[in-house]
Amino acid sequence: MPASPIEVYSWPTPNGHKIHIMLEECGLPYHAHPVNIGKGDQFAPDFLQISPNNKIPAITDPDGPDGKPISLFESGAILVYLAGKTGKFLPTGDRERYDVLQWLMFQIGGVGPMLGQAHHFRLYAPEKIAYAIDRYSNEAKRLYGVIDKQLSKNKFIAGKSYSIADIAIFPWLRSWENQGITLTDFPHLKDWFDGISARPAVQRGVKVLADLRQPITGDKEREILFGKTQYEKR
């Protein structure tokens, strides 16, 4: 009997792309439901039922661990769940598993937030604040340097094998120019980046919902994404 598709509530952002890529890499059937974060879809009551932090992505798997549906939010948790479900991209040996998990946490705690701030202050902030631009651009360069050094010793982020650490980090580096980065300054990272970019499942994953995304130009969109709407009690 064919597996029931996983319902994916997402948008074509780095965090969304993580899950799109993972699903494609695992060969799992899924339906992608757009959550247009520029229009405020993330605040809809139905979405908040499965993602109480009003962030994409979130999933519902009709075939959960106990045979019953399960819903999950937070992209890192979803990656770990999908790896456990399929037995792919997360080693079973303790040492190798923790190597992957520490680099996954590096993305969640460092790469995502810091590169996101660099992106925000360089492109979207209503006023150009030199201190913020310098702070987060410099932190972006530092993080790229950490990754480059790791990849000077390893084929993939967490060692010899492609894993959810690679899947988590790659989408955040696709906007390197907007983060003030010159990719050729990090040759080991660039080689890895080019290799990941060439994977067919990655190419499919980054196209999911991509035709729906538009540049943020209007004041209403900016307010929804960055203004008081974010902080209303729900």
Side-chain angles (χ1 to χ4, degrees), residues 77-216:
I78 297 170
L79 287 176
V80 172
Y81 171 75
L82 294 174
K85 180 182 178 72
T86 61
K88 296 181 177 181
F89 310 118
L90 183 59
T92 56
D94 286 346
R95 185 173 298 275
E96 294 81 6
R97 182 182 180 88
Y98 288 124
D99 279 342
V100 170
L101 290 175
Q102 69 179 348
W103 285 99
L104 175 64
M105 301 307 152
F106 166 78
Q107 186 279 304
I108 294 168
V111 170
M114 296 299 104
L115 298 190
Q117 292 293 347
H119 207 106
H120 176 79
F121 283 107
R122 292 176 64 90
L123 291 185
Y124 296 128
E127 56 182 303
K128 297 301 181 184
I129 304 171
Y131 175 84
I133 292 171
D134 289 346
R135 172 178 170 79
Y136 291 111
S137 297
N138 288 333
E139 179 63 2
K141 291 175 184 176
R142 189 190 73 80
L143 290 167
Y144 273 74
V146 172
I147 298 169
D148 190 64
K149 183 177 180 180
Q150 174 68 0
L151 289 167
S152 73
K153 301 177 291 184
N154 299 280
K155 182 177 181 180
F156 296 103
I157 293 291
K160 297 179 180 178
S161 300
Y162 180 67
S163 74
I164 57 173
D166 301 281
I167 292 171
I169 290 173
F170 169 78
W172 280 100
L173 309 190
R174 294 178 71 229
S175 297
W176 47 270
E177 290 178 300
N178 291 335
Q179 298 154 8
I181 297 295
T182 300
L183 206 59
T184 52
D185 289 345
F186 305 96
H188 306 291
L189 186 153
K190 185 180 184 304
D191 287 346
W192 166 87
F193 183 89
D194 291 344
I196 302 299
S197 298
R199 294 178 69 92
V202 172
Q203 294 177 358
R204 293 193 301 270
V206 297
K207 291 178 182 177
V208 175
L209 304 177
D211 59 333
L212 300 179
R213 186 171 183 175
Q214 297 179 342
I216 300 169

